[in-house]
Structures are given as C-alpha cells and as structure tokens.
Amino acid sequence: LYTAPDSCKGRCEEPYSKEDECHCDAECESHYNCCEDYYEHCRPGHCCLRRGLQGFSSSHDAISDQELLQVSEQLYGADHNKARPQDITINPQYRAAPDETDDQEDRSPRPLYAFVNEKLFSKPTYASFIRLLDNYQRATGREEEVTAEELREQDTFLREVMKTELMKKLFAFLHQKNRYGSEQEFLEDLKEMWFGLYSRGNGEKDSSGFEHVFSGEVKKGQVSGFHNWIRFYLLEKQGLVNYYSHNYNGPWDSYPDVLGLQFSWDGFYKEVGSAFIGCSPEFEFGVYTLCFIARPGRACHLSLGGHSISIQTYTWTKSTYGPGKKYIA
C-alpha cells in the first residue's frame, strides 16, 4: 500500500532505509530524522514535533495549514517597501505553451522590464541586498571565497531586514510556535540556514541557499535557482540576461506579482524560472524562510491578497549545521 514518504502513518517500526525521506524506527529520535508525525502515529501521548536538542515541546507548536494562510496574508500586508504600480512596467510579450518552455527560442524581442524606478534601490533593505549579489561564483564545483567585507554585508542585510515590520511579524509567529527563544537566536539561524556554505560537487564549499535562490547558479550547463526580480532586472539592463517568454502570469493586479519565465543568462538557459515581481527583498526572504521552517522539503500553501500560492522548498540533506538544522537547497 502506498504511504506518504514524509509520514509515519502505517510505517511505525519499519526498518531503517537510507532511501527514505524521513524515518519511523525507534532510533530516529536519537538521530533527529523522524518524520514530522512520528509522535502522533508511533508514540501516541508523546508530543508531535521535535527539531534538534531543544525540540518542539507540544502539539500546539505544530504549524497548521490554516495558520500558514493567515500568517502569509499578514506578511503580504506588511510589505511596505514593495514597488507601487507606477514603479515598474513589465512587458511579458509571448506566452509559451507547456511544450514550448524547453525549446530555447527567443519569442520576445524586447526586454521584460520596460521601466523600473531605481529610487527603490536606495531603501536600506534593497541597497544591502544588492550589495550581496556580486559575492558569488555562479559555477557549481568552484569554491566560494568569503571575505571579511562579504561577511559584514551579510550581517548588514540581516540587520536591515530584521528592522522591518514584516520580519518582526514573522519572528513573533515563530517565537509563539517555540521555534526560537529570542530575536538574536532567529538572526543567527537565518545566517546559517541562508548563507552557510556547503558542497554541491566534490567537497568544495561552492553553494548556499542565498546564492542559489536569489543570485542564481550554473550547474551542468543550465541555470539553477535564480528566482529574484531585482537580480534579473540588473543583469538584463547590463545585457547579460535575455528574456525569451513566460508560461505563467499570476492573478495579482498589484505587486508582488508572480511570473514563470524562460530566459538565458550569458548563454545558459532557464526553462521555467518562477519569480515574485516587485516585492521587497524582506518579503521574499521572509516568505521563503517561513515555508522552509514550516514545511521543509515539501509544498507550502500560502495566501497572498486572497489568492492561493504554493512554494516548494528543498532541504540540503548531505550536511547539517547543528542537530536537526538543515541548509536551504
């Protein structure tokens, strides 16, 4: 019988297999790799969630689907630094059918961004975010060299986003759910989960969650990650990104909007790159963090302005930065 790969329903005391996403054997507690519902199905009366040594102490610490819908609407409403309708003009041009997204044909002669009000980029979270974008070697398999200045830039960005109402709301929610005891603990964890380096190749510290998601990488001759609109705009302006088409345009009539797009970056192709358009850096950073903590490795269902959206997160499983602490893949 089929059982969900991330559930212990019907799997209690199943023998350990390294192929499994998560585990339901008696040893999983000491290895910090139990499925999220291990306590519900295999140890009734014990509590339902643990993360690392401190653990989540009781079932009310679980984050429900309904709570995700509510908190995502709160974050959406708190994005005070997002672009206004007059700040951005996009030109989506050709809409690709599902069987056209991989044919690498440029069907849009003009750039995607017809206009962006660059005064946005002087806001502290934008300015500190943009300074991070030139810190990365885009090719996987090549060790990242991190300078003292780059570490300071990471700290500045985290400090600036934590000043915003949006990130304060996110921390308050996660604090209420016993994920973090203090804002400082949250800040330190954000730094490790997003900026901590790991190896996608043969042991070189060549990647991080931030590089992959926001800056973009090139892996096996294709663009990997690269989901940020500011990064796209800046590279398109330099002539390094060529917009081909889009296969999805979200139902939002204001920003942030969502676009699924095809493009080439310096000759490397991205078949479908989904992106929020016009959001602030803290909105994207906060929403992805929420999903990574609440629904690691699976689809996370949110609500933005009354419209449904799903964000798929991936955890890096080959290395950790503490008990039960996983990097963003």
Side-chain angles (χ1 to χ4, degrees), residues 210-221:
F210 186 91
E211 178 187 8
H212 178 86
V213 172
F214 292 100
S215 185
E217 298 178 287
V218 171
K219 186 172 67 175
K220 296 179 181 170

mmCIF file with all atom_site columns, all heavy atoms in Angstrom, residues 210-221:
data_model
loop_
_atom_site.group_PDB
_atom_site.id
_atom_site.type_symbol
_atom_site.label_atom_id
_atom_site.label_alt_id
_atom_site.label_comp_id
_atom_site.label_asym_id
_atom_site.label_entity_id
_atom_site.label_seq_id
_atom_site.pdbx_PDB_ins_code
_atom_site.Cartn_x
_atom_site.Cartn_y
_atom_site.Cartn_z
_atom_site.occupancy
_atom_site.B_iso_or_equiv
_atom_site.pdbx_formal_charge
_atom_site.auth_seq_id
_atom_site.auth_comp_id
_atom_site.auth_asym_id
_atom_site.auth_atom_id
_atom_site.pdbx_PDB_model_num
ATOM 1  N N   . PHE A 1 210 ? 21.228 31.195 -0.168  1.00 0.00 ? 210 PHE A N   1
ATOM 2  C CA  . PHE A 1 210 ? 21.072 32.552 -0.695  1.00 0.00 ? 210 PHE A CA  1
ATOM 3  C C   . PHE A 1 210 ? 21.586 32.638 -2.130  1.00 0.00 ? 210 PHE A C   1
ATOM 4  O O   . PHE A 1 210 ? 20.926 33.196 -3.007  1.00 0.00 ? 210 PHE A O   1
ATOM 5  C CB  . PHE A 1 210 ? 21.801 33.576 0.182   1.00 0.00 ? 210 PHE A CB  1
ATOM 6  C CG  . PHE A 1 210 ? 21.541 34.996 -0.254  1.00 0.00 ? 210 PHE A CG  1
ATOM 7  C CD1 . PHE A 1 210 ? 20.490 35.713 0.286   1.00 0.00 ? 210 PHE A CD1 1
ATOM 8  C CD2 . PHE A 1 210 ? 22.320 35.604 -1.235  1.00 0.00 ? 210 PHE A CD2 1
ATOM 9  C CE1 . PHE A 1 210 ? 20.214 37.014 -0.138  1.00 0.00 ? 210 PHE A CE1 1
ATOM 10 C CE2 . PHE A 1 210 ? 22.057 36.897 -1.666  1.00 0.00 ? 210 PHE A CE2 1
ATOM 11 C CZ  . PHE A 1 210 ? 21.000 37.595 -1.113  1.00 0.00 ? 210 PHE A CZ  1
ATOM 12 N N   . GLU A 1 211 ? 22.769 32.073 -2.375  1.00 0.00 ? 211 GLU A N   1
ATOM 13 C CA  . GLU A 1 211 ? 23.322 32.125 -3.733  1.00 0.00 ? 211 GLU A CA  1
ATOM 14 C C   . GLU A 1 211 ? 22.362 31.461 -4.718  1.00 0.00 ? 211 GLU A C   1
ATOM 15 O O   . GLU A 1 211 ? 22.059 32.003 -5.782  1.00 0.00 ? 211 GLU A O   1
ATOM 16 C CB  . GLU A 1 211 ? 24.681 31.426 -3.807  1.00 0.00 ? 211 GLU A CB  1
ATOM 17 C CG  . GLU A 1 211 ? 25.235 31.431 -5.229  1.00 0.00 ? 211 GLU A CG  1
ATOM 18 C CD  . GLU A 1 211 ? 26.500 30.601 -5.419  1.00 0.00 ? 211 GLU A CD  1
ATOM 19 O OE1 . GLU A 1 211 ? 26.906 29.871 -4.494  1.00 0.00 ? 211 GLU A OE1 1
ATOM 20 O OE2 . GLU A 1 211 ? 27.076 30.689 -6.518  1.00 0.00 ? 211 GLU A OE2 1
ATOM 21 N N   . HIS A 1 212 ? 21.885 30.275 -4.374  1.00 0.00 ? 212 HIS A N   1
ATOM 22 C CA  . HIS A 1 212 ? 21.033 29.518 -5.296  1.00 0.00 ? 212 HIS A CA  1
ATOM 23 C C   . HIS A 1 212 ? 19.732 30.265 -5.593  1.00 0.00 ? 212 HIS A C   1
ATOM 24 O O   . HIS A 1 212 ? 19.379 30.492 -6.749  1.00 0.00 ? 212 HIS A O   1
ATOM 25 C CB  . HIS A 1 212 ? 20.722 28.144 -4.707  1.00 0.00 ? 212 HIS A CB  1
ATOM 26 C CG  . HIS A 1 212 ? 19.813 27.335 -5.572  1.00 0.00 ? 212 HIS A CG  1
ATOM 27 N ND1 . HIS A 1 212 ? 20.275 26.550 -6.597  1.00 0.00 ? 212 HIS A ND1 1
ATOM 28 C CD2 . HIS A 1 212 ? 18.466 27.221 -5.590  1.00 0.00 ? 212 HIS A CD2 1
ATOM 29 C CE1 . HIS A 1 212 ? 19.251 25.982 -7.214  1.00 0.00 ? 212 HIS A CE1 1
ATOM 30 N NE2 . HIS A 1 212 ? 18.139 26.376 -6.618  1.00 0.00 ? 212 HIS A NE2 1
ATOM 31 N N   . VAL A 1 213 ? 19.016 30.645 -4.536  1.00 0.00 ? 213 VAL A N   1
ATOM 32 C CA  . VAL A 1 213 ? 17.665 31.196 -4.700  1.00 0.00 ? 213 VAL A CA  1
ATOM 33 C C   . VAL A 1 213 ? 17.693 32.600 -5.290  1.00 0.00 ? 213 VAL A C   1
ATOM 34 O O   . VAL A 1 213 ? 16.953 32.911 -6.216  1.00 0.00 ? 213 VAL A O   1
ATOM 35 C CB  . VAL A 1 213 ? 16.914 31.189 -3.349  1.00 0.00 ? 213 VAL A CB  1
ATOM 36 C CG1 . VAL A 1 213 ? 15.578 31.930 -3.454  1.00 0.00 ? 213 VAL A CG1 1
ATOM 37 C CG2 . VAL A 1 213 ? 16.682 29.754 -2.869  1.00 0.00 ? 213 VAL A CG2 1
ATOM 38 N N   . PHE A 1 214 ? 18.549 33.458 -4.757  1.00 0.00 ? 214 PHE A N   1
ATOM 39 C CA  . PHE A 1 214 ? 18.496 34.880 -5.114  1.00 0.00 ? 214 PHE A CA  1
ATOM 40 C C   . PHE A 1 214 ? 19.474 35.274 -6.219  1.00 0.00 ? 214 PHE A C   1
ATOM 41 O O   . PHE A 1 214 ? 19.132 36.061 -7.099  1.00 0.00 ? 214 PHE A O   1
ATOM 42 C CB  . PHE A 1 214 ? 18.750 35.739 -3.874  1.00 0.00 ? 214 PHE A CB  1
ATOM 43 C CG  . PHE A 1 214 ? 17.638 35.660 -2.864  1.00 0.00 ? 214 PHE A CG  1
ATOM 44 C CD1 . PHE A 1 214 ? 17.747 34.853 -1.743  1.00 0.00 ? 214 PHE A CD1 1
ATOM 45 C CD2 . PHE A 1 214 ? 16.467 36.384 -3.042  1.00 0.00 ? 214 PHE A CD2 1
ATOM 46 C CE1 . PHE A 1 214 ? 16.711 34.772 -0.814  1.00 0.00 ? 214 PHE A CE1 1
ATOM 47 C CE2 . PHE A 1 214 ? 15.428 36.309 -2.124  1.00 0.00 ? 214 PHE A CE2 1
ATOM 48 C CZ  . PHE A 1 214 ? 15.547 35.501 -1.010  1.00 0.00 ? 214 PHE A CZ  1
ATOM 49 N N   . SER A 1 215 ? 20.691 34.760 -6.165  1.00 0.00 ? 215 SER A N   1
ATOM 50 C CA  . SER A 1 215 ? 21.712 35.177 -7.120  1.00 0.00 ? 215 SER A CA  1
ATOM 51 C C   . SER A 1 215 ? 21.723 34.289 -8.359  1.00 0.00 ? 215 SER A C   1
ATOM 52 O O   . SER A 1 215 ? 21.909 34.762 -9.474  1.00 0.00 ? 215 SER A O   1
ATOM 53 C CB  . SER A 1 215 ? 23.079 35.154 -6.435  1.00 0.00 ? 215 SER A CB  1
ATOM 54 O OG  . SER A 1 215 ? 24.065 35.653 -7.280  1.00 0.00 ? 215 SER A OG  1
ATOM 55 N N   . GLY A 1 216 ? 21.513 32.982 -8.163  1.00 0.00 ? 216 GLY A N   1
ATOM 56 C CA  . GLY A 1 216 ? 21.497 32.029 -9.271  1.00 0.00 ? 216 GLY A CA  1
ATOM 57 C C   . GLY A 1 216 ? 22.831 31.339 -9.454  1.00 0.00 ? 216 GLY A C   1
ATOM 58 O O   . GLY A 1 216 ? 23.889 31.895 -9.144  1.00 0.00 ? 216 GLY A O   1
ATOM 59 N N   . GLU A 1 217 ? 22.765 30.092 -9.936  1.00 0.00 ? 217 GLU A N   1
ATOM 60 C CA  . GLU A 1 217 ? 23.967 29.298 -10.174 1.00 0.00 ? 217 GLU A CA  1
ATOM 61 C C   . GLU A 1 217 ? 23.885 28.699 -11.574 1.00 0.00 ? 217 GLU A C   1
ATOM 62 O O   . GLU A 1 217 ? 22.821 28.650 -12.180 1.00 0.00 ? 217 GLU A O   1
ATOM 63 C CB  . GLU A 1 217 ? 24.063 28.158 -9.150  1.00 0.00 ? 217 GLU A CB  1
ATOM 64 C CG  . GLU A 1 217 ? 24.171 28.630 -7.721  1.00 0.00 ? 217 GLU A CG  1
ATOM 65 C CD  . GLU A 1 217 ? 24.227 27.476 -6.732  1.00 0.00 ? 217 GLU A CD  1
ATOM 66 O OE1 . GLU A 1 217 ? 23.203 26.823 -6.509  1.00 0.00 ? 217 GLU A OE1 1
ATOM 67 O OE2 . GLU A 1 217 ? 25.313 27.246 -6.177  1.00 0.00 ? 217 GLU A OE2 1
ATOM 68 N N   . VAL A 1 218 ? 25.017 28.218 -12.050 1.00 0.00 ? 218 VAL A N   1
ATOM 69 C CA  . VAL A 1 218 ? 25.042 27.442 -13.297 1.00 0.00 ? 218 VAL A CA  1
ATOM 70 C C   . VAL A 1 218 ? 25.552 26.050 -12.947 1.00 0.00 ? 218 VAL A C   1
ATOM 71 O O   . VAL A 1 218 ? 26.643 25.894 -12.395 1.00 0.00 ? 218 VAL A O   1
ATOM 72 C CB  . VAL A 1 218 ? 25.951 28.103 -14.356 1.00 0.00 ? 218 VAL A CB  1
ATOM 73 C CG1 . VAL A 1 218 ? 26.118 27.162 -15.556 1.00 0.00 ? 218 VAL A CG1 1
ATOM 74 C CG2 . VAL A 1 218 ? 25.352 29.425 -14.814 1.00 0.00 ? 218 VAL A CG2 1
ATOM 75 N N   . LYS A 1 219 ? 24.716 25.050 -13.246 1.00 0.00 ? 219 LYS A N   1
ATOM 76 C CA  . LYS A 1 219 ? 25.037 23.666 -12.901 1.00 0.00 ? 219 LYS A CA  1
ATOM 77 C C   . LYS A 1 219 ? 24.781 22.798 -14.130 1.00 0.00 ? 219 LYS A C   1
ATOM 78 O O   . LYS A 1 219 ? 23.703 22.852 -14.713 1.00 0.00 ? 219 LYS A O   1
ATOM 79 C CB  . LYS A 1 219 ? 24.148 23.225 -11.725 1.00 0.00 ? 219 LYS A CB  1
ATOM 80 C CG  . LYS A 1 219 ? 24.463 21.866 -11.172 1.00 0.00 ? 219 LYS A CG  1
ATOM 81 C CD  . LYS A 1 219 ? 23.680 21.582 -9.893  1.00 0.00 ? 219 LYS A CD  1
ATOM 82 C CE  . LYS A 1 219 ? 22.195 21.458 -10.157 1.00 0.00 ? 219 LYS A CE  1
ATOM 83 N NZ  . LYS A 1 219 ? 21.427 21.067 -8.963  1.00 0.00 ? 219 LYS A NZ  1
ATOM 84 N N   . LYS A 1 220 ? 25.797 22.031 -14.546 1.00 0.00 ? 220 LYS A N   1
ATOM 85 C CA  . LYS A 1 220 ? 25.674 21.150 -15.718 1.00 0.00 ? 220 LYS A CA  1
ATOM 86 C C   . LYS A 1 220 ? 25.155 21.917 -16.943 1.00 0.00 ? 220 LYS A C   1
ATOM 87 O O   . LYS A 1 220 ? 24.279 21.454 -17.665 1.00 0.00 ? 220 LYS A O   1
ATOM 88 C CB  . LYS A 1 220 ? 24.762 19.966 -15.402 1.00 0.00 ? 220 LYS A CB  1
ATOM 89 C CG  . LYS A 1 220 ? 25.324 19.060 -14.310 1.00 0.00 ? 220 LYS A CG  1
ATOM 90 C CD  . LYS A 1 220 ? 24.396 17.906 -14.005 1.00 0.00 ? 220 LYS A CD  1
ATOM 91 C CE  . LYS A 1 220 ? 24.971 17.031 -12.894 1.00 0.00 ? 220 LYS A CE  1
ATOM 92 N NZ  . LYS A 1 220 ? 24.028 16.036 -12.395 1.00 0.00 ? 220 LYS A NZ  1
ATOM 93 N N   . GLY A 1 221 ? 25.661 23.132 -17.124 1.00 0.00 ? 221 GLY A N   1
ATOM 94 C CA  . GLY A 1 221 ? 25.335 23.899 -18.322 1.00 0.00 ? 221 GLY A CA  1
ATOM 95 C C   . GLY A 1 221 ? 23.971 24.559 -18.324 1.00 0.00 ? 221 GLY A C   1
ATOM 96 O O   . GLY A 1 221 ? 23.543 25.090 -19.346 1.00 0.00 ? 221 GLY A O   1
#
